[in-house]
Amino acid sequence: MRTQVAIIGGGPSGLMLSQLLNRAGVRTVVLERKTRDYVLARVRAGILEAGTVDLLEQAGVAQRMHAEGQPHHGCYLTDDQQMIRVDFTESCGQQVMVYGQTEVTRDLYEAQDRIGATHIHEVENVAINDLKAAAPHVTFDRGGQSHRLDCDMIVGCDGFHGVSRHAIPKDVRREYERVYPFGWLGILSETPPLRPELIYANHPRGFALASMRHEMLSRYYIQVPLSDKVEDWSDDAFWDEFRRRLPDDVAADLVTGPTIEKSIAPLRSFVSEPMRWGHLFLCGDAAHIVPPTGAKGLNLALSDVRLLSAALIAHYNDNDDSGLEGYSAQALQRVWKAVRFSWSVTTMMHRFPDHDAFDHRMQQVELQALANSDTARRLFAESYTGVGL
Ligand code: APR
Ligand code: PHB
């Protein structure tokens, strides 16, 4: 088998890259280890930056997002003293789109079907070879048979647990990591969202987030110790705890109902440098992870894809390699800014087991700045909507 660009991983990064490249006449093969149904059953975050919305348009996959997504012009941050609204439009002239990552992925799969892009699912033992030779190749197993895919370039879009990153030699790779001492227990519930906009709450009992997918689907989270298991949390226990972490007048409006999904995710910041080695390029979670507090994961992944797709198209169509040469350094600039924002919002909004009264005062002062300073709100809004990254 032969292609121009072999893409490992069929999550949002791999699918978007394949979509943009095929539309420009560059041939790709996507290798995904799970089934399509499995990929589409994952529930992830749901906030799209304006730049992500533009990219979906450029890729021809924005129609359903515009019909069903909800533009949001602000969000709330609360602690036990105050409820602060950051108005994105007023602060920096931007907005975000509430539209689930699962839906973005579904739209991408459907668009890929329409243009007849090649996806091979349920592959095993993917291995990357000859990255520094004239041409690399990928080997993999499927249905008990071994296969070889020859290509010009390999793009690792295989997420944090993928194999691609590990193909960069250890003495070349630098990893930076912060593991947070708590997780998020998240639920989906077919109930009307608490408020029209998201609420991020820092409460003495721990962080809570009220988010949503649409007018009859709410997405709520609470900070839990890493030792907690989903089975420890009945629906009633979740609703009780969630309610206690919100301001009383907000909690009074909470509509509860059965949960249709419940899971616990750990929180981590992680960056692996460089994002290119020889013929291998990394995109998305394969190279970096952010805690979900800033809603940056998908946006950052797709901003890598925007850069790399343009660089690959310039390579194939214009014989111009400057984008490929600059890809890693350019992508990492935005990555580090988003890592800093996600870390700082996580630090401002959670209760850490080792925090004392001093740390809590620091959180209060930061929230106070958001309440009182146009400049602080503008900086937050620019990072949250992505224009400042
Ligand atoms: N071989 C083939 N496919 C693999 C392999 C492998 N060895 N390892 C992982 N994969 C697949 C996974 O099954 C998954 O479908 O790669 C895909 C990676 O997808 P994601 O983890 O969703 O990563 P990405 O596409 O970069 O998406 C961006 O940012 O913060 C997050 O929630 C956000 O998931 C989103 C991500
Ligand atoms: C979500 O809706 O799942 C969501 C929204 C905002 C976040 C994280 C998750 O910061």
Side-chain angles (χ1 to χ4, degrees):
M1 224 185 311
R2 179 165 171 89
T3 192
Q4 290 176 305
V5 180
I7 300 174
I8 304 174
S13 301
L15 296 175
M16 179 58 93
L17 183 65
S18 174
Q19 177 71 7
L20 292 165
L21 292 183
N22 279 283
R23 279 165 69 94
V26 178
R27 281 172 290 118
T28 66
V29 171
V30 175
L31 300 173
E32 165 58 51
R33 107 176 131 180
K34 303 288 189 186
T35 63
R36 180 186 289 212
D37 287 346
Y38 183 98
V39 173
L40 286 173
R42 293 188 190 122
V43 179
R44 299 269 176 85
I47 302 288
L48 309 183
E49 295 171 352
T52 303
V53 168
D54 289 348
L55 193 69
L56 265 59
E57 281 167 6
Q58 192 189 320
V61 292
Q63 210 177 352
R64 198 161 67 92
M65 175 200 63
H66 281 305
E68 297 175 15
Q70 303 169 27
H72 276 206
H73 298 274
C75 74
Y76 291 94
L77 296 135
T78 77
D79 63 6
D80 33 340
Q81 325 262 318
Q82 61 203 318
M83 180 130 170
I84 304 155
R85 179 162 184 273
V86 179
D87 188 316
F88 307 142
T89 312
E90 185 184 286
S91 296
C92 69
Q94 293 289 323
Q95 58 184 33
V96 294
M97 180 71 93
V98 172
Y99 189 65
Q101 176 176 324
T102 314
E103 305 311 316
V104 173
T105 311
R106 186 185 304 282
D107 295 343
L108 280 165
Y109 267 125
E110 286 173 7
Q112 288 273 277
D113 288 345
R114 286 196 295 274
I115 61 175
T118 308
H119 296 175
I120 307 177
H121 280 265
E122 297 181 86
V123 299
E124 294 174 309
N125 302 321
V126 169
I128 292 173
N129 307 282
D130 293 338
L131 280 177
K132 287 282 190 176
H137 70 274
V138 182
T139 53
F140 60 94
D141 298 334
R142 187 165 190 275
Q145 292 206 322
S146 299
H147 301 269
R148 173 180 169 131
L149 174 60
D150 287 290
C151 53
D152 308 328
M153 314 275 181
I154 300 172
V155 185
C157 296
D158 48 351
F160 181 65
H161 299 288
V163 292
S164 305
R165 179 172 75 245
H166 303 284
I168 302 179
K170 272 211 169 87
D171 59 339
V172 174
R173 203 163 14 112
R174 283 202 69 182
E175 297 191 346
Y176 304 80
E177 186 168 49
R178 174 70 39 96
V179 177
Y180 300 90
F182 39 73
W184 278 17
L185 167 63
I187 62 115
L188 266 179
S189 149
E190 285 170 330
T191 50
L194 190 50
R195 284 282 186 274
E197 293 178 339
L198 273 66
I199 304 172
Y200 292 85
N202 174 335
H203 186 270
R205 298 180 65 87
F207 170 80
L209 168 60
S211 181
M212 67 204 67
R213 291 293 175 271
H214 54 71
E215 63 283 353
M216 262 315 278
L217 190 59
S218 298
R219 178 76 170 149
Y220 297 136
Y221 298 93
I222 53 174
Q223 170 187 347
V224 293
L226 280 170
S227 51
D228 278 19
K229 302 271 170 288
V230 171
E231 310 76 73
D232 302 338
W233 285 92
S234 66
D235 285 2
D236 284 346
F238 179 88
W239 292 121
D240 284 346
E241 188 58 40
F242 181 65
R243 198 182 273 114
R244 292 174 78 164
R245 297 184 186 189
L246 297 167
D248 291 343
D249 57 327
V250 177
D253 296 334
L254 181 68
V255 179
T256 63
T259 65
I260 55 173
E261 199 266 351
K262 201 185 276 166
S263 55
I264 295 184
L267 271 69
R268 180 195 303 271
S269 301
F270 171 82
V271 181
S272 178
E273 295 180 344
M275 288 173 64
R276 180 223 181 140
W277 195 73
H279 296 292
L280 174 69
F281 298 83
L282 301 178
C283 277
D285 280 20
H288 43 74
I289 295 282
V290 286
T293 327
K296 287 284 158 249
L298 174 63
N299 293 295
L300 209 46
L302 295 187
S303 96
D304 293 347
V305 171
R306 177 197 297 107
L307 274 180
L308 186 58
S309 59
L312 286 166
I313 292 166
H315 166 81
Y316 283 108
N317 295 354
D318 305 323
N319 239 333
D320 172 2
D321 277 356
S322 57
L324 292 180
E325 300 299 341
Y327 169 70
S328 177
Q330 208 183 335
L332 282 165
Q333 274 188 25
R334 191 169 208 272
V335 166
W336 277 112
K337 286 192 248 176
V339 166
R340 194 213 63 81
F341 176 68
S342 306
W343 160 84
S344 84
V345 184
T346 302
T347 306
M348 177 171 71
M349 297 307 290
H350 289 75
R351 296 297 166 126
F352 287 66
D354 62 346
H355 270 187
D356 58 15
F358 177 89
D359 297 288
H360 186 225
R361 275 277 187 264
M362 295 300 101
Q363 294 183 328
Q364 285 178 322
V365 173
E366 275 195 64
L367 279 164
Q368 209 66 61
L370 283 174
N372 298 331
S373 154
D374 290 341
T375 309
R377 279 196 297 278
R378 182 167 60 79
L379 286 172
F380 180 94
E382 284 182 355
S383 292
Y384 195 91
T385 62
V387 274
L389 299 180

